Amino acid sequence: MSNKDYSVRNVLNKLKCAIYIRVSTHYQIDKDSLPLQREDLINYAKYALNIDSYEVFEDAGYSAKNTDRPAYQQMMSRLRTGEFSHILVWKIDRISRNLLDFAAMYEEIKSLGVTFVSKNEQFDTSTAIGEAMLKIILVFAELERNMTSERVTAVMLSRAANGQWNGGRIPYGYDYHKESKEFTINQFEAENILKIVDLYLETHSLLSVAKYLNKNGITTKAGNEWNPTTVSKMIRSRFYLGEYQYNMHKDGMGGAGSKYLKPESEWITVVDHHPAILTHDQWNACAEIRNKNHKNSECKKTYKRKNTHIFAGLIECGECGGNYTATLDSERAGGYRPSIYLCSTRRRFSKCSNKCVSDITLGPFILNYISNMMKANNNIGKSTTLDMFQKKLLRGDVFAGVKGIEASGLKETYDMMRNKKFDSDVFEASRPSSEVEGYTTEKDLLMSEKRKHERALDRLKALYLYSEEAITETDYIIENKRLRDKVDEIDKRLEEIDKSISESFSISDSEFIEKASYFIMSQELSSKRSVNFHTLVRNTDTEIIKRFIQSVIKKIVIFNDKVQSIQFKNGIEHKFLYE
């Protein structure tokens, strides 16, 4: 690119250059290496690139073996804000002598639209030749990355084949001794394992086993409560037969599901690796029950549930904050089967005393309250006082035990209705125009964070395999798992963001049905003095009622069979005061 081109871009884009200089030893600092680099690069920015705005980032006495240098990290942080258009260095090895680090850095600054310039090697990624030269470097970086990964995998497989523990969580029932690198049985935990097996063989229920353990104060190795999943993982593990299995799961897929398993020919199994806690007869008996339960559950999946849980996913426990789960109650006259909702914490762990609630109780309260709000919105006038407004909302026998509504939510609704800020869709919140922008901003930050952790993983591998200051196997495995867990968490959130963005721009059949449901229910609720829930559910498809409720309400808090509060989709929350 010519100096004239740079001048034009400088005027139009207000270019600013980040000048990075580094020396490895204090001897170099004392011999004027840093001042020489600084002066030369400042002049190069001014007269070769025609950039008058610049800032110097200086790391004195830092090695290039990694990028853990204060000035470098500060520069990269500010680059991510869009402050700089160029990075200028004396030579490429001022950034790093590790190709993996350099490649990761370049991929990031390229995505940010930042140009990389190396004065002495004449790399300038704004030119075709500079871009081509860097791509050659990146090819070799990719080769090094793949070779490193293959070597690490080979080392881990070789260790496993020799019966060496590759790290991870110590299974419940065992202790691991780093000095001897052997497992011994933890007698207390082993007794609990035998109890778990006996209970499972007796009840055939993972949930029953988990509830028994939690009720009797028996925790997992990490001190957490049990759930059916943790019990299932335990009784299906062949570790309790004295076998060590490795390389069973696909990368990043540690679940026990068959779809995540590698072909059995790739598994590594070492028998008599450590003392066994279970016999093969015990393990096989549990496996037989598991298979039977699985077949039964597959058969059940072929039948479509006819009942709809109207308030599923909306109810929160007023005692412990847990979510409520739904199940079917006994059949009523006319064939209608209402749903019963119970705190999941109480159901799984028996640690919450909050009562269950039924559609029979919840339906009349919620639908009549929504109906009252619709009619109040249509009839409110300048002469309507706040007390009169509250009476409008609580009109009807179903609210006989409610003495009032908490002032803040009541006043907010009153003011909005008086100022005509409610339209015909009383409870629907308008989606802010910045929502998608917020998602994309968060996505950019998460992508940057993901790249940082992936670079850390690459550096960790290189350090483990090649560095003279190699870390121990245990430290490598622990840190590798921590970083991979972070990447997995970020990937999960990125999937959620992509789904949210997609939903923001799409109009689906489901959305059409939801709007139709809203219209039908709005007409039904606003046209009658009171809502007879029993008549409504007999004459209206419960799916329509559910879609309406889900479009209006965000959360319902229940305590002792009573509605404590309702939070609507538009952000307003009404808390009820009882006598």
Side-chain angles (χ1 to χ4, degrees), residues 369-380 389 393 412-414 416-418 420-430 518-519 522-523 525-526 548 551-553 568-572 574:
Y369 195 72
I370 294 173
S371 175
N372 287 348
M373 287 190 72
M374 287 180 166
K375 291 193 280 285
N377 182 53
N378 293 331
N379 300 325
I380 194 169
F389 178 66
L393 297 185
E412 183 180 7
T413 309
Y414 175 74
M416 291 181 71
M417 289 188 179
R418 281 283 298 269
K420 302 300 180 184
K421 291 184 178 180
F422 275 78
D423 56 19
S424 58
D425 293 333
V426 179
F427 308 97
E428 290 187 340
S430 58
Y518 189 94
F519 175 78
S522 295
Q523 297 298 309
L525 298 184
S526 60
F548 171 75
S551 70
V552 168
I553 294 177
F568 296 97
K569 283 290 184 71
N570 62 6
I572 288 178
H574 286 186

Side-chain angles (χ1 to χ4, degrees), residues 346-370:
R346 177 176 178 176
R347 178 176 177 271
R348 293 168 61 192
F349 307 124
S350 301
K351 278 203 164 187
C352 179
S353 61
N354 205 0
K355 296 179 180 179
C356 63
V357 64
S358 169
D359 280 341
I360 303 301
T361 302
L362 199 55
F365 189 103
I366 298 297
L367 289 174
N368 274 284
Y369 195 72
I370 294 173

Side-chain angles (χ1 to χ4, degrees), residues 490-507:
I490 292 172
D491 282 339
K492 183 177 180 181
R493 177 56 185 156
L494 286 171
E495 288 180 6
E496 293 173 354
I497 290 174
D498 287 340
K499 182 179 179 182
S500 298
I501 292 175
S502 175
E503 290 174 349
S504 297
F505 288 104
S506 64
I507 300 176

